Amino acid sequence: MKEKKFKSKPSLSKLTVFGTAMVMASAITLNGYSAIASDSPKGKDAEKKQNKSTEKKKEETKTNVVYIVLDDSGYSDLGSFGSEIKTPNMDWIAENGLRYNNAHVTPLCSPTRAALLTGRNTHEVGVGTVTNFELGPDFPHKRGAIKPEAGTIAEVLGENNYNTYAVGKWHLAPTEETSPAGPYHNWPIEKGFDQYYGFLEDSSDQYKPDLTIDNTQIPSPTDDSYHFSEAIVENANRYITNQASVFPDKPFFVYMAFGAQHSPHQVPEEYIDQYKGVYDKGWDHIRQERFERQKELGIIPKDAEFAPRNNGVKAWDELSELEKKNYIRLQETYAGFLTHTDEQVGKLLDNLRRTNQLDHTMIVLLSDNGGSGGGQANGSVNHSINYNALGETLEEVDGLYEEMGSQRAGTEYPAGWGQVSNTPFSQYKNSAFAGGMNTPLIVYNRQIIKDPGSIRSQYVYVSDITPTVYDIAGITPPKEIDGVKQMAVSGQSFKESLTNPKAEGKETQYYEVTGNRAIYHDGWKAFTSHKKGDSFDNDQWFLYNVKDDFTEQNNLADQYPKKLKELQKLWWKEAEKYQALPLTDTFLEGFLSVPEGSIRADKHLVYYRGMDRLTDSAVPPLVNRSYEINIPIKRADASEDGVLLAHGGLDSGYTFYIQNNKLVYEYRIGERTQASIVSNMDVPVGESVISLKYDKTGKHQAIGTLYINDTKVGDTKIENTLPLKLSFEGIDVGKDTKYPVSPAYADKDDFEFKGELVKVEYILGDDAELTVPRAN
């Protein structure tokens, strides 16, 4: 095993002192720390003096590191970046640190996180899109996992005597590998972290998340007062306090990745109510106010132009009263959610102060991409419908008006508020426009920064953050980690800019996400807005001089064709260098991608009772295909009822249960699709086999037929099934442990089946319309 490198001085008890008849002293120096050991009184006095000096030097030079990552929070959402939303604790970090107003990310969560944690470009480390999609060997840069050749900052700092902790959202493992049985090699513990508390997938319920501690999945909380944002900070504070108590001189790294502000937006009502009346003036007015405030703060240039409303966003004054009512409440929920998040950041800061760690801690705060347009015109109250990009009617949203922010309605704001989040820019996450990739970046380091509260305008990309940490800590990334040769760190340190406002920024950075491409070079930016399904050769290119046109409002493509060609050529060069080819515009349909040899490619799957809830991305690929489910059971008497199988929750899913001695099958998508079968006979006492044959009759249409011991007991038509992902809750065998699929047993806790049930068997048909990603 490779020997670990330690930065702290060795214990004096392990220093060998030679000589008994004469005064002999041995001096040992390690990473700048000197220890003197001696058997003479003089030597002991010197030892004590040196110990005090050493401890002082340790305290002065130790640098803890904390990354705080917000999810889907736009450029202007923080008070220090122009918002009316109350974020006093994050603003404190800005007032006592530096704000970078020209910082960029890949406009999608997994790629940004991979670049942040490795200090490299997204494609070269294998995470060119979200890790929900494993696109197969034809797309080695989009396999859903960080390559072992790209060691994370946790692995590197761990080799340099740091303790490393991760809390919150991971989203850096192929999501079909998030099952309770792993495989674990892409989970946080196997990527260099000593401890982990959080969820592994792209998003989760804030009240009942799918929780993982280290390499173990645990049941969702049942405490009504639980909130995920609070829990991750409580755990981070526990890790920090433990270390400060036992090893106060040892540095630590904390990666704190909030589920907030990603949908579902869920927060206690008292936080939502703080914003009553604030958004009544509408998104046009609020966006204008933020724009003017940004100029006053110096976050944007005085001559920056105001971006027009994005296509598809109505003028606020043209909305109906019902639209305004619901859109206001959705934004109040988002704002309350962010204030609640800020409150948790404050608890972290308080604990760092209390344990005397804050002055020795570098804090980096950013968002993984811009605000979302995924709520479309009306916003959302159903996470499954929203993620399937189907859009919700105003009536559907209004039906859960009183529940917004609660367990019952996981909301997302309309696209109009998404552009407010991204003020002063156009567009949203998952686009190459500035609204998708320009995000807030705040850096706090009291030991280095001499002009706190200032603004820096150097061009920074997310992969530059970790090399900056290495630079500050004096760490050279190892050439090998666990015997695996490491690729070069391609990010560029911006340490100099922490002390020099005139330091040079990054000169060149390429981008690619879901077929949208961009290149920045020396103050110019060229990018495409790719139309899905079109040839990439037909993409329209835009060209902006972003030194003079901060908000990208004056397209110069026609005026400077030579400059555009120069940047296009540079994009291809960088794309090849950093392994961004071949191109594909596969995105949400990637949910249907099941590459040969993957865990879910087997057409015969068996799950046994006693299995922890199977996470939603690890479930069988049932969308738009025929299948059969068989459940052998045994009942001692007619009173043995309960859930046999549940897949999903309040938003969508299906369930089999016995109630009043009848077998019931339900398939639900909120209030849209409610198909059910109640058996026309009693479920027999003794042994029986419950079966469902789900026969696809058309695209997103099927007939479900229910059987008991091969006897048909009922059928139903199922129409308008979800096209991409059936549910964001997984599978329970013999109970329904999270949110109930059916309201019929919502008051019965997990309604565990009282009889015997050994297993559930899935047999998948051959008529699936699975995605084969196309390349260009």
Side-chain angles (χ1 to χ4, degrees), residues 517-536:
R517 293 170 281 165
I519 183 79
Y520 168 84
H521 179 70
D522 192 25
W524 291 84
K525 177 183 173 184
F527 64 93
T528 69
S529 180
H530 176 72
K531 185 177 179 182
K532 193 172 184 64
D534 276 5
S535 168
F536 292 103

Side-chain angles (χ1 to χ4, degrees), residues 299-356:
I299 285 294
I300 66 174
K302 293 291 186 183
D303 61 354
E305 295 185 32
F306 190 54
R309 278 191 305 274
N310 291 334
N311 291 336
V313 176
K314 293 181 181 179
W316 185 261
D317 291 343
E318 296 176 2
L319 300 177
S320 69
E321 290 305 309
L322 186 62
E323 286 173 321
K324 289 179 180 179
K325 167 196 162 187
N326 282 279
Y327 300 171
I328 288 167
R329 189 62 172 175
L330 288 165
Q331 176 64 7
E332 291 171 350
T333 302
Y334 178 85
F337 194 22
L338 183 54
T339 292
H340 178 264
T341 302
D342 180 80
E343 186 177 286
Q344 310 321 308
V345 172
K347 293 176 183 177
L348 171 72
L349 296 175
D350 287 344
N351 193 54
L352 289 170
R353 292 187 189 99
R354 185 178 67 87
T355 56
N356 196 33

